[in-house]
Amino acid sequence: MRVFEKKQLDQNKRVCLRLKEAREKTKTSLNDLAQKTKINKQHLIAMEECRFDDIPHAAIYQKNFLKRY
């Protein structure tokens, strides 16, 4: 059985910076994350660098990428 913890997030930070910090905190590599989420590594990098326009998909796909991340 999984136990979920409620995490405190800094609401003043952009979501892209919070994603990267969360990934680095768990010591997950971009390659591992790409494999787990089935999201192209280049798209993950773009999300972590706040370059959402570089993800060549409709906005609904970008939102789903963020949810999977």
Side-chain angles (χ1 to χ4, degrees):
M1 186 165 125
R2 293 182 117 178
V3 177
F4 293 95
E5 295 178 20
K6 187 172 183 176
K7 296 181 181 176
Q8 295 296 323
L9 298 176
D10 183 356
Q11 296 299 323
N12 295 324
K13 280 190 183 176
R14 295 182 71 180
V15 67
C16 48
L17 300 175
R18 291 186 292 189
L19 290 172
K20 185 174 183 176
E21 284 178 2
R23 179 183 59 78
E24 290 174 344
K25 186 176 180 180
T26 61
K27 297 184 172 112
T28 303
S29 71
L30 279 170
N31 289 329
D32 289 342
L33 187 61
Q35 207 169 29
K36 289 178 185 176
T37 61
K38 308 288 190 249
I39 299 172
N40 182 301
K41 183 179 172 183
Q42 296 305 315
H43 295 159
L44 293 173
I45 292 170
M47 283 195 292
E48 287 187 352
E49 294 177 354
C50 303
R51 295 182 293 112
F52 295 102
D53 291 336
D54 290 353
I55 301 172
H57 297 290
I60 190 71
Y61 288 105
Q62 293 175 0
K63 288 178 185 178
N64 285 331
F65 281 178
L66 283 171
K67 287 178 185 177
R68 278 195 276 168
Y69 190 114

Short mmCIF file of all heavy atoms in Angstrom, two decimals:
data_model
loop_
_atom_site.label_atom_id
_atom_site.label_comp_id
_atom_site.label_asym_id
_atom_site.label_seq_id
_atom_site.Cartn_x
_atom_site.Cartn_y
_atom_site.Cartn_z
N MET A 1 0.84 -1.18 0.00
CA MET A 1 0.00 0.00 0.00
C MET A 1 0.88 1.24 0.00
O MET A 1 1.82 1.34 0.77
CB MET A 1 -0.89 -0.01 1.24
CG MET A 1 -1.89 1.09 1.24
SD MET A 1 -3.14 0.77 2.47
CE MET A 1 -3.02 2.26 3.38
N ARG A 2 0.58 2.16 -0.89
CA ARG A 2 1.36 3.40 -0.97
C ARG A 2 0.82 4.43 0.00
O ARG A 2 -0.38 4.55 0.18
CB ARG A 2 1.30 3.98 -2.37
CG ARG A 2 2.00 3.13 -3.39
CD ARG A 2 1.91 3.82 -4.69
NE ARG A 2 3.27 4.14 -5.10
CZ ARG A 2 3.58 4.72 -6.22
NH1 ARG A 2 2.65 5.08 -7.06
NH2 ARG A 2 4.83 4.96 -6.52
N VAL A 3 1.72 5.16 0.59
CA VAL A 3 1.35 6.24 1.48
C VAL A 3 1.75 7.54 0.80
O VAL A 3 2.89 7.71 0.37
CB VAL A 3 2.07 6.11 2.85
CG1 VAL A 3 1.72 7.27 3.73
CG2 VAL A 3 1.70 4.80 3.49
N PHE A 4 0.81 8.44 0.67
CA PHE A 4 1.08 9.71 0.02
C PHE A 4 1.29 10.79 1.06
O PHE A 4 0.61 10.83 2.07
CB PHE A 4 -0.08 10.10 -0.91
CG PHE A 4 -0.22 9.18 -2.08
CD1 PHE A 4 -1.08 8.11 -2.05
CD2 PHE A 4 0.54 9.39 -3.22
CE1 PHE A 4 -1.21 7.25 -3.12
CE2 PHE A 4 0.43 8.54 -4.29
CZ PHE A 4 -0.45 7.47 -4.24
N GLU A 5 2.25 11.64 0.78
CA GLU A 5 2.54 12.75 1.67
C GLU A 5 2.15 14.05 0.98
O GLU A 5 2.36 14.22 -0.21
CB GLU A 5 4.05 12.82 1.95
CG GLU A 5 4.59 11.65 2.71
CD GLU A 5 6.10 11.78 2.90
OE1 GLU A 5 6.63 12.89 2.78
OE2 GLU A 5 6.73 10.75 3.13
N LYS A 6 1.59 14.93 1.74
CA LYS A 6 1.27 16.25 1.21
C LYS A 6 2.55 17.08 1.27
O LYS A 6 3.20 17.18 2.30
CB LYS A 6 0.18 16.91 2.04
CG LYS A 6 -0.31 18.20 1.45
CD LYS A 6 -1.52 18.72 2.20
CE LYS A 6 -2.03 19.97 1.53
NZ LYS A 6 -3.24 20.45 2.16
N LYS A 7 2.94 17.64 0.13
CA LYS A 7 4.16 18.42 0.06
C LYS A 7 3.85 19.90 0.07
O LYS A 7 2.85 20.34 -0.49
CB LYS A 7 4.94 18.08 -1.21
CG LYS A 7 5.40 16.65 -1.24
CD LYS A 7 6.16 16.36 -2.49
CE LYS A 7 6.60 14.91 -2.50
NZ LYS A 7 7.27 14.56 -3.73
N GLN A 8 4.71 20.64 0.69
CA GLN A 8 4.59 22.10 0.70
C GLN A 8 5.30 22.64 -0.53
O GLN A 8 6.47 22.35 -0.76
CB GLN A 8 5.23 22.68 1.97
CG GLN A 8 4.53 22.28 3.24
CD GLN A 8 3.11 22.81 3.30
OE1 GLN A 8 2.82 23.91 2.86
NE2 GLN A 8 2.22 22.01 3.85
N LEU A 9 4.59 23.41 -1.32
CA LEU A 9 5.17 23.99 -2.53
C LEU A 9 5.27 25.50 -2.36
O LEU A 9 4.41 26.13 -1.77
CB LEU A 9 4.30 23.68 -3.75
CG LEU A 9 4.12 22.22 -4.09
CD1 LEU A 9 3.16 22.10 -5.27
CD2 LEU A 9 5.45 21.58 -4.43
N ASP A 10 6.34 26.04 -2.90
CA ASP A 10 6.53 27.48 -2.91
C ASP A 10 5.69 28.05 -4.05
O ASP A 10 6.02 27.87 -5.22
CB ASP A 10 8.01 27.81 -3.09
CG ASP A 10 8.28 29.30 -3.03
OD1 ASP A 10 7.33 30.10 -2.92
OD2 ASP A 10 9.46 29.67 -3.09
N GLN A 11 4.59 28.69 -3.73
CA GLN A 11 3.68 29.20 -4.74
C GLN A 11 4.26 30.33 -5.58
O GLN A 11 3.75 30.65 -6.63
CB GLN A 11 2.39 29.68 -4.06
CG GLN A 11 1.63 28.57 -3.39
CD GLN A 11 1.17 27.48 -4.34
OE1 GLN A 11 0.79 27.74 -5.47
NE2 GLN A 11 1.22 26.25 -3.88
N ASN A 12 5.36 30.93 -5.12
CA ASN A 12 5.95 32.04 -5.85
C ASN A 12 6.88 31.58 -6.96
O ASN A 12 7.25 32.37 -7.82
CB ASN A 12 6.71 32.97 -4.89
CG ASN A 12 5.76 33.63 -3.92
OD1 ASN A 12 4.64 33.96 -4.26
ND2 ASN A 12 6.20 33.80 -2.69
N LYS A 13 7.28 30.32 -6.94
CA LYS A 13 8.17 29.81 -7.98
C LYS A 13 7.36 29.32 -9.16
O LYS A 13 6.27 28.78 -9.01
CB LYS A 13 8.99 28.63 -7.45
CG LYS A 13 10.16 29.02 -6.63
CD LYS A 13 11.02 27.82 -6.38
CE LYS A 13 12.17 28.19 -5.48
NZ LYS A 13 12.97 27.03 -5.15
N ARG A 14 7.93 29.48 -10.34
CA ARG A 14 7.29 28.99 -11.56
C ARG A 14 7.24 27.47 -11.52
O ARG A 14 8.11 26.82 -10.97
CB ARG A 14 8.05 29.48 -12.78
CG ARG A 14 7.99 30.99 -12.92
CD ARG A 14 8.70 31.45 -14.13
NE ARG A 14 7.92 31.07 -15.30
CZ ARG A 14 8.29 31.35 -16.54
NH1 ARG A 14 9.41 31.98 -16.76
NH2 ARG A 14 7.56 30.98 -17.56
N VAL A 15 6.22 26.92 -12.13
CA VAL A 15 6.01 25.48 -12.11
C VAL A 15 7.21 24.74 -12.71
O VAL A 15 7.60 23.68 -12.23
CB VAL A 15 4.70 25.08 -12.81
CG1 VAL A 15 4.74 25.35 -14.31
CG2 VAL A 15 4.38 23.63 -12.54
N CYS A 16 7.84 25.30 -13.73
CA CYS A 16 8.97 24.63 -14.37
C CYS A 16 10.14 24.47 -13.39
O CYS A 16 10.79 23.42 -13.35
CB CYS A 16 9.41 25.37 -15.62
SG CYS A 16 9.61 27.14 -15.40
N LEU A 17 10.37 25.46 -12.57
CA LEU A 17 11.45 25.38 -11.59
C LEU A 17 11.12 24.38 -10.49
O LEU A 17 11.99 23.65 -10.02
CB LEU A 17 11.73 26.75 -10.99
CG LEU A 17 12.15 27.84 -11.99
CD1 LEU A 17 12.28 29.19 -11.30
CD2 LEU A 17 13.43 27.45 -12.70
N ARG A 18 9.85 24.32 -10.10
CA ARG A 18 9.44 23.36 -9.08
C ARG A 18 9.55 21.93 -9.59
O ARG A 18 9.93 21.02 -8.85
CB ARG A 18 8.01 23.65 -8.61
CG ARG A 18 7.93 24.95 -7.81
CD ARG A 18 6.58 25.15 -7.25
NE ARG A 18 5.65 25.41 -8.35
CZ ARG A 18 4.41 25.80 -8.19
NH1 ARG A 18 3.91 25.97 -7.00
NH2 ARG A 18 3.64 26.02 -9.21
N LEU A 19 9.25 21.71 -10.89
CA LEU A 19 9.37 20.38 -11.47
C LEU A 19 10.82 19.91 -11.43
O LEU A 19 11.11 18.78 -11.04
CB LEU A 19 8.88 20.38 -12.92
CG LEU A 19 7.39 20.55 -13.14
CD1 LEU A 19 7.09 20.74 -14.62
CD2 LEU A 19 6.62 19.37 -12.58
N LYS A 20 11.72 20.78 -11.85
CA LYS A 20 13.13 20.41 -11.88
C LYS A 20 13.65 20.13 -10.46
O LYS A 20 14.37 19.15 -10.25
CB LYS A 20 13.96 21.52 -12.53
CG LYS A 20 15.41 21.16 -12.69
CD LYS A 20 16.17 22.20 -13.48
CE LYS A 20 17.60 21.75 -13.68
NZ LYS A 20 18.35 22.69 -14.51
N GLU A 21 13.29 20.99 -9.52
CA GLU A 21 13.73 20.78 -8.14
C GLU A 21 13.21 19.45 -7.58
O GLU A 21 13.93 18.73 -6.90
CB GLU A 21 13.26 21.93 -7.25
CG GLU A 21 14.06 23.19 -7.44
CD GLU A 21 13.56 24.34 -6.59
OE1 GLU A 21 12.59 24.16 -5.80
OE2 GLU A 21 14.12 25.44 -6.72
N ALA A 22 11.96 19.13 -7.88
CA ALA A 22 11.38 17.87 -7.40
C ALA A 22 12.10 16.68 -8.01
O ALA A 22 12.38 15.69 -7.32
CB ALA A 22 9.89 17.82 -7.73
N ARG A 23 12.43 16.75 -9.30
CA ARG A 23 13.15 15.66 -9.96
C ARG A 23 14.54 15.50 -9.36
O ARG A 23 14.98 14.39 -9.05
CB ARG A 23 13.26 15.91 -11.47
CG ARG A 23 14.02 14.80 -12.19
CD ARG A 23 14.20 15.08 -13.66
NE ARG A 23 14.92 16.31 -13.94
CZ ARG A 23 16.25 16.43 -13.86
NH1 ARG A 23 17.00 15.42 -13.49
NH2 ARG A 23 16.84 17.59 -14.14
N GLU A 24 15.23 16.61 -9.17
CA GLU A 24 16.58 16.54 -8.61
C GLU A 24 16.57 16.06 -7.16
O GLU A 24 17.48 15.35 -6.74
CB GLU A 24 17.25 17.91 -8.71
CG GLU A 24 17.60 18.28 -10.16
CD GLU A 24 18.13 19.68 -10.30
OE1 GLU A 24 17.98 20.51 -9.38
OE2 GLU A 24 18.71 19.97 -11.37
N LYS A 25 15.54 16.41 -6.41
CA LYS A 25 15.44 15.99 -5.02
C LYS A 25 15.33 14.47 -4.92
O LYS A 25 15.87 13.85 -4.01
CB LYS A 25 14.24 16.66 -4.35
CG LYS A 25 14.14 16.40 -2.88
CD LYS A 25 12.98 17.18 -2.28
CE LYS A 25 12.89 16.91 -0.78
NZ LYS A 25 11.78 17.66 -0.18
N THR A 26 14.63 13.86 -5.87
CA THR A 26 14.48 12.40 -5.87
C THR A 26 15.62 11.71 -6.60
O THR A 26 15.62 10.49 -6.74
CB THR A 26 13.14 11.98 -6.52
OG1 THR A 26 13.13 12.43 -7.88
CG2 THR A 26 11.96 12.54 -5.75
N LYS A 27 16.58 12.50 -7.08
CA LYS A 27 17.75 11.97 -7.80
C LYS A 27 17.34 11.12 -9.00
O LYS A 27 17.95 10.10 -9.29
CB LYS A 27 18.65 11.19 -6.85
CG LYS A 27 19.23 12.06 -5.76
CD LYS A 27 20.19 11.31 -4.88
CE LYS A 27 20.86 12.28 -3.96
NZ LYS A 27 20.53 12.17 -2.59
N THR A 28 16.32 11.59 -9.71
CA THR A 28 15.86 10.92 -10.92
C THR A 28 16.50 11.60 -12.12
O THR A 28 16.45 12.82 -12.24
CB THR A 28 14.31 11.02 -11.03
OG1 THR A 28 13.74 10.46 -9.86
CG2 THR A 28 13.80 10.29 -12.25
N SER A 29 17.09 10.82 -12.99
CA SER A 29 17.72 11.40 -14.18
C SER A 29 16.64 11.72 -15.22
O SER A 29 15.53 11.17 -15.18
CB SER A 29 18.73 10.43 -14.78
OG SER A 29 18.07 9.34 -15.39
N LEU A 30 16.99 12.58 -16.16
CA LEU A 30 16.06 12.91 -17.23
C LEU A 30 15.77 11.67 -18.07
O LEU A 30 14.64 11.48 -18.53
CB LEU A 30 16.63 14.02 -18.11
CG LEU A 30 16.46 15.43 -17.56
CD1 LEU A 30 17.27 16.43 -18.37
CD2 LEU A 30 15.00 15.84 -17.57
N ASN A 31 16.77 10.81 -18.27
CA ASN A 31 16.55 9.59 -19.04
C ASN A 31 15.54 8.68 -18.35
O ASN A 31 14.65 8.13 -19.00
CB ASN A 31 17.87 8.83 -19.25
CG ASN A 31 18.78 9.56 -20.21
OD1 ASN A 31 18.33 10.23 -21.12
ND2 ASN A 31 20.07 9.42 -20.00
N ASP A 32 15.67 8.53 -17.03
CA ASP A 32 14.72 7.70 -16.27
C ASP A 32 13.32 8.30 -16.33
O ASP A 32 12.34 7.58 -16.51
CB ASP A 32 15.16 7.56 -14.82
CG ASP A 32 16.38 6.68 -14.64
OD1 ASP A 32 16.71 5.90 -15.57
OD2 ASP A 32 17.02 6.78 -13.57
N LEU A 33 13.24 9.60 -16.18
CA LEU A 33 11.94 10.27 -16.21
C LEU A 33 11.29 10.13 -17.58
O LEU A 33 10.09 9.88 -17.68
CB LEU A 33 12.09 11.74 -15.83
CG LEU A 33 10.80 12.52 -15.66
CD1 LEU A 33 9.94 11.92 -14.55
CD2 LEU A 33 11.10 13.98 -15.37
N ALA A 34 12.08 10.26 -18.63
CA ALA A 34 11.55 10.10 -19.99
C ALA A 34 11.00 8.70 -20.19
O ALA A 34 9.94 8.51 -20.79
CB ALA A 34 12.64 10.41 -21.02
N GLN A 35 11.71 7.73 -19.66
CA GLN A 35 11.27 6.35 -19.78
C GLN A 35 9.98 6.09 -18.99
O GLN A 35 9.07 5.44 -19.48
CB GLN A 35 12.38 5.43 -19.27
CG GLN A 35 12.40 4.07 -19.88
CD GLN A 35 13.68 3.33 -19.51
OE1 GLN A 35 14.27 3.57 -18.45
NE2 GLN A 35 14.10 2.45 -20.38
N LYS A 36 9.91 6.64 -17.78
CA LYS A 36 8.74 6.42 -16.92
C LYS A 36 7.50 7.14 -17.44
O LYS A 36 6.40 6.62 -17.37
CB LYS A 36 9.02 6.89 -15.50
CG LYS A 36 9.98 6.01 -14.74
CD LYS A 36 10.26 6.57 -13.37
CE LYS A 36 11.33 5.76 -12.66
NZ LYS A 36 11.68 6.32 -11.36
N THR A 37 7.68 8.36 -17.95
CA THR A 37 6.52 9.17 -18.36
C THR A 37 6.19 9.01 -19.83
O THR A 37 5.13 9.46 -20.27
CB THR A 37 6.80 10.66 -18.11
OG1 THR A 37 7.94 11.07 -18.86
CG2 THR A 37 6.98 10.94 -16.63
N LYS A 38 7.10 8.39 -20.61
CA LYS A 38 6.92 8.26 -22.06
C LYS A 38 6.88 9.63 -22.75
O LYS A 38 6.21 9.81 -23.75
CB LYS A 38 5.65 7.47 -22.41
CG LYS A 38 5.52 6.15 -21.71
CD LYS A 38 6.48 5.14 -22.26
CE LYS A 38 6.17 3.76 -21.73
NZ LYS A 38 7.13 3.21 -20.81
N ILE A 39 7.61 10.58 -22.16
CA ILE A 39 7.73 11.92 -22.75
C ILE A 39 9.15 12.07 -23.25
O ILE A 39 10.10 11.74 -22.55
CB ILE A 39 7.42 13.02 -21.70
CG1 ILE A 39 6.00 12.88 -21.17
CG2 ILE A 39 7.63 14.41 -22.30
CD1 ILE A 39 5.68 13.81 -20.01
N ASN A 40 9.29 12.57 -24.46
CA ASN A 40 10.60 12.78 -25.06
C ASN A 40 11.49 13.62 -24.14
O ASN A 40 11.04 14.61 -23.56
CB ASN A 40 10.39 13.50 -26.41
CG ASN A 40 11.66 13.74 -27.16
OD1 ASN A 40 12.56 14.39 -26.66
ND2 ASN A 40 11.72 13.21 -28.36
N LYS A 41 12.74 13.22 -24.02
CA LYS A 41 13.68 13.91 -23.13
C LYS A 41 13.80 15.39 -23.47
O LYS A 41 13.88 16.24 -22.58
CB LYS A 41 15.05 13.23 -23.21
CG LYS A 41 16.08 13.82 -22.29
CD LYS A 41 17.39 13.08 -22.41
CE LYS A 41 18.49 13.76 -21.63
NZ LYS A 41 19.78 13.08 -21.80
N GLN A 42 13.80 15.71 -24.75
CA GLN A 42 13.91 17.12 -25.16
C GLN A 42 12.70 17.93 -24.68
O GLN A 42 12.83 19.09 -24.33
CB GLN A 42 14.05 17.23 -26.69
CG GLN A 42 15.33 16.59 -27.21
CD GLN A 42 16.58 17.14 -26.52
OE1 GLN A 42 16.73 18.34 -26.35
NE2 GLN A 42 17.47 16.24 -26.13
N HIS A 43 11.54 17.30 -24.64
CA HIS A 43 10.35 17.99 -24.14
C HIS A 43 10.44 18.19 -22.63
O HIS A 43 10.03 19.24 -22.11
CB HIS A 43 9.09 17.21 -24.49
CG HIS A 43 8.82 17.14 -25.95
ND1 HIS A 43 8.02 16.18 -26.52
CD2 HIS A 43 9.27 17.90 -26.99
CE1 HIS A 43 7.98 16.36 -27.82
NE2 HIS A 43 8.73 17.39 -28.13
N LEU A 44 11.00 17.21 -21.92
CA LEU A 44 11.19 17.37 -20.48
C LEU A 44 12.15 18.52 -20.18
O LEU A 44 11.91 19.31 -19.28
CB LEU A 44 11.73 16.07 -19.87
CG LEU A 44 10.79 14.87 -19.89
CD1 LEU A 44 11.52 13.62 -19.42
CD2 LEU A 44 9.56 15.12 -19.04
N ILE A 45 13.22 18.58 -20.95
CA ILE A 45 14.19 19.67 -20.78
C ILE A 45 13.51 21.02 -21.02
O ILE A 45 13.69 21.97 -20.26
CB ILE A 45 15.41 19.48 -21.70
CG1 ILE A 45 16.21 18.25 -21.26
CG2 ILE A 45 16.28 20.73 -21.73
CD1 ILE A 45 17.29 17.82 -22.25
N ALA A 46 12.72 21.09 -22.08
CA ALA A 46 12.00 22.34 -22.39
C ALA A 46 11.06 22.73 -21.25
O ALA A 46 10.99 23.90 -20.88
CB ALA A 46 11.23 22.19 -23.70
N MET A 47 10.38 21.73 -20.66
CA MET A 47 9.47 22.04 -19.54
C MET A 47 10.24 22.56 -18.34
O MET A 47 9.81 23.50 -17.68
CB MET A 47 8.67 20.80 -19.14
CG MET A 47 7.53 20.50 -20.08
SD MET A 47 6.33 19.32 -19.40
CE MET A 47 7.28 17.82 -19.36
N GLU A 48 11.39 21.95 -18.04
CA GLU A 48 12.19 22.39 -16.89
C GLU A 48 12.81 23.76 -17.11
O GLU A 48 13.14 24.44 -16.15
CB GLU A 48 13.28 21.36 -16.58
CG GLU A 48 12.76 20.10 -15.95
CD GLU A 48 13.86 19.16 -15.50
OE1 GLU A 48 15.04 19.41 -15.81
OE2 GLU A 48 13.52 18.17 -14.82
N GLU A 49 12.97 24.15 -18.36
CA GLU A 49 13.56 25.46 -18.67
C GLU A 49 12.49 26.50 -19.00
O GLU A 49 12.81 27.57 -19.52
CB GLU A 49 14.54 25.32 -19.84
CG GLU A 49 15.75 24.49 -19.46
CD GLU A 49 16.71 24.25 -20.62
OE1 GLU A 49 16.39 24.63 -21.78
OE2 GLU A 49 17.78 23.67 -20.37
N CYS A 50 11.24 26.18 -18.72
CA CYS A 50 10.10 27.09 -18.95
C CYS A 50 9.94 27.48 -20.42
O CYS A 50 9.47 28.56 -20.74
CB CYS A 50 10.22 28.35 -18.09
SG CYS A 50 10.32 28.01 -16.33
N ARG A 51 10.33 26.59 -21.31
CA ARG A 51 10.20 26.84 -22.74
C ARG A 51 9.04 26.02 -23.30
O ARG A 51 9.21 25.15 -24.15
CB ARG A 51 11.51 26.47 -23.47
CG ARG A 51 12.69 27.32 -23.08
CD ARG A 51 13.96 26.97 -23.85
NE ARG A 51 14.47 25.64 -23.50
CZ ARG A 51 14.48 24.58 -24.32
NH1 ARG A 51 14.02 24.68 -25.54
NH2 ARG A 51 14.95 23.41 -23.91
N PHE A 52 7.84 26.30 -22.85
CA PHE A 52 6.67 25.53 -23.24
C PHE A 52 6.34 25.69 -24.72
O PHE A 52 5.75 24.79 -25.32
CB PHE A 52 5.47 25.89 -22.37
CG PHE A 52 5.69 25.51 -20.93
CD1 PHE A 52 6.02 26.47 -19.99
CD2 PHE A 52 5.59 24.19 -20.52
CE1 PHE A 52 6.24 26.12 -18.67
CE2 PHE A 52 5.80 23.83 -19.21
CZ PHE A 52 6.13 24.80 -18.28
N ASP A 53 6.74 26.79 -25.32
CA ASP A 53 6.51 26.99 -26.75
C ASP A 53 7.36 26.05 -27.60
O ASP A 53 7.06 25.84 -28.78
CB ASP A 53 6.77 28.44 -27.15
CG ASP A 53 5.74 29.39 -26.58
OD1 ASP A 53 4.61 28.93 -26.27
OD2 ASP A 53 6.05 30.58 -26.44
N ASP A 54 8.41 25.49 -27.03
CA ASP A 54 9.27 24.56 -27.76
C ASP A 54 8.70 23.15 -27.82
O ASP A 54 9.27 22.27 -28.45
CB ASP A 54 10.67 24.51 -27.15
CG ASP A 54 11.44 25.80 -27.38
OD1 ASP A 54 10.95 26.67 -28.12
OD2 ASP A 54 12.54 25.92 -26.81
N ILE A 55 7.60 22.92 -27.13
CA ILE A 55 6.95 21.62 -27.17
C ILE A 55 5.94 21.69 -28.32
O ILE A 55 4.96 22.41 -28.24
CB ILE A 55 6.25 21.29 -25.83
CG1 ILE A 55 7.28 21.31 -24.70
CG2 ILE A 55 5.54 19.95 -25.91
CD1 ILE A 55 6.70 21.21 -23.32
N PRO A 56 6.22 20.95 -29.39
CA PRO A 56 5.45 21.14 -30.63
C PRO A 56 4.10 20.41 -30.65
O PRO A 56 3.79 19.68 -31.55
CB PRO A 56 6.38 20.56 -31.69
CG PRO A 56 7.09 19.47 -30.96
CD PRO A 56 7.29 20.00 -29.57
N HIS A 57 3.31 20.61 -29.62
CA HIS A 57 2.01 19.98 -29.55
C HIS A 57 0.97 21.01 -29.11
O HIS A 57 1.32 22.06 -28.58
CB HIS A 57 2.01 18.81 -28.56
CG HIS A 57 2.94 17.71 -28.94
ND1 HIS A 57 2.72 16.89 -30.02
CD2 HIS A 57 4.11 17.30 -28.41
CE1 HIS A 57 3.70 16.00 -30.12
NE2 HIS A 57 4.56 16.24 -29.15
N ALA A 58 -0.27 20.67 -29.29
CA ALA A 58 -1.36 21.54 -28.86
C ALA A 58 -1.30 21.72 -27.35
O ALA A 58 -0.72 20.92 -26.62
CB ALA A 58 -2.69 20.94 -29.28
N ALA A 59 -1.93 22.76 -26.87
CA ALA A 59 -1.92 23.09 -25.44
C ALA A 59 -2.42 21.94 -24.58
O ALA A 59 -1.91 21.71 -23.48
CB ALA A 59 -2.76 24.34 -25.18
N ILE A 60 -3.39 21.18 -25.07
CA ILE A 60 -3.92 20.06 -24.27
C ILE A 60 -2.84 19.01 -24.05
O ILE A 60 -2.76 18.42 -22.97
CB ILE A 60 -5.18 19.45 -24.92
CG1 ILE A 60 -5.86 18.47 -23.97
CG2 ILE A 60 -4.87 18.78 -26.23
CD1 ILE A 60 -6.54 19.12 -22.82
N TYR A 61 -1.97 18.78 -25.03
CA TYR A 61 -0.88 17.83 -24.86
C TYR A 61 0.14 18.36 -23.85
O TYR A 61 0.67 17.61 -23.05
CB TYR A 61 -0.19 17.54 -26.19
CG TYR A 61 -1.02 16.70 -27.12
CD1 TYR A 61 -1.65 17.26 -28.21
CD2 TYR A 61 -1.18 15.33 -26.90
CE1 TYR A 61 -2.42 16.49 -29.06
CE2 TYR A 61 -1.95 14.55 -27.73
CZ TYR A 61 -2.57 15.14 -28.82
OH TYR A 61 -3.33 14.38 -29.66
N GLN A 62 0.41 19.65 -23.91
CA GLN A 62 1.34 20.25 -22.95
C GLN A 62 0.82 20.08 -21.53
O GLN A 62 1.58 19.74 -20.63
CB GLN A 62 1.55 21.73 -23.28
CG GLN A 62 2.27 21.95 -24.59
CD GLN A 62 2.35 23.42 -24.96
OE1 GLN A 62 1.88 24.28 -24.24
NE2 GLN A 62 2.96 23.69 -26.10
N LYS A 63 -0.47 20.28 -21.33
CA LYS A 63 -1.05 20.11 -19.99
C LYS A 63 -0.94 18.66 -19.54
O LYS A 63 -0.64 18.39 -18.37
CB LYS A 63 -2.52 20.56 -19.99
CG LYS A 63 -2.67 22.06 -20.10
CD LYS A 63 -4.14 22.46 -20.14
CE LYS A 63 -4.26 23.94 -20.36
NZ LYS A 63 -5.67 24.35 -20.46
N ASN A 64 -1.20 17.74 -20.45
CA ASN A 64 -1.09 16.32 -20.09
C ASN A 64 0.36 15.94 -19.78
O ASN A 64 0.61 15.11 -18.91
CB ASN A 64 -1.66 15.43 -21.19
CG ASN A 64 -3.17 15.46 -21.21
OD1 ASN A 64 -3.80 15.65 -20.18
ND2 ASN A 64 -3.75 15.27 -22.38
N PHE A 65 1.31 16.52 -20.51
CA PHE A 65 2.73 16.28 -20.21
C PHE A 65 3.03 16.72 -18.78
O PHE A 65 3.71 16.02 -18.04
CB PHE A 65 3.64 17.04 -21.17
CG PHE A 65 3.81 16.41 -22.53
CD1 PHE A 65 4.58 17.04 -23.49
CD2 PHE A 65 3.23 15.18 -22.86
CE1 PHE A 65 4.76 16.47 -24.74
CE2 PHE A 65 3.40 14.62 -24.11
CZ PHE A 65 4.17 15.27 -25.04
N LEU A 66 2.54 17.88 -18.40
CA LEU A 66 2.77 18.40 -17.04
C LEU A 66 2.15 17.47 -16.00
O LEU A 66 2.77 17.20 -14.97
CB LEU A 66 2.20 19.80 -16.89
CG LEU A 66 3.02 20.92 -17.51
CD1 LEU A 66 2.26 22.23 -17.48
CD2 LEU A 66 4.35 21.07 -16.79
N LYS A 67 0.97 16.97 -16.27
CA LYS A 67 0.34 16.04 -15.32
C LYS A 67 1.15 14.77 -15.18
O LYS A 67 1.33 14.27 -14.08
CB LYS A 67 -1.08 15.71 -15.79
CG LYS A 67 -2.06 16.83 -15.60
CD LYS A 67 -3.42 16.42 -16.12
CE LYS A 67 -4.39 17.57 -16.05
NZ LYS A 67 -5.70 17.19 -16.61
N ARG A 68 1.63 14.22 -16.30
CA ARG A 68 2.42 12.99 -16.25
C ARG A 68 3.75 13.22 -15.56
O ARG A 68 4.25 12.37 -14.84
CB ARG A 68 2.67 12.44 -17.65
CG ARG A 68 1.51 11.62 -18.15
CD ARG A 68 1.92 10.81 -19.33
NE ARG A 68 1.83 11.64 -20.52
CZ ARG A 68 2.33 11.31 -21.69
NH1 ARG A 68 2.97 10.20 -21.84
NH2 ARG A 68 2.20 12.11 -22.71
N TYR A 69 4.34 14.39 -15.79
CA TYR A 69 5.62 14.73 -15.15
C TYR A 69 5.46 14.67 -13.65
O TYR A 69 6.24 14.16 -12.93
CB TYR A 69 6.07 16.11 -15.59
CG TYR A 69 7.48 16.46 -15.18
CD1 TYR A 69 8.45 16.64 -16.13
CD2 TYR A 69 7.83 16.63 -13.86
CE1 TYR A 69 9.75 16.97 -15.76
CE2 TYR A 69 9.11 16.94 -13.48
CZ TYR A 69 10.08 17.12 -14.43
OH TYR A 69 11.35 17.44 -14.07
#
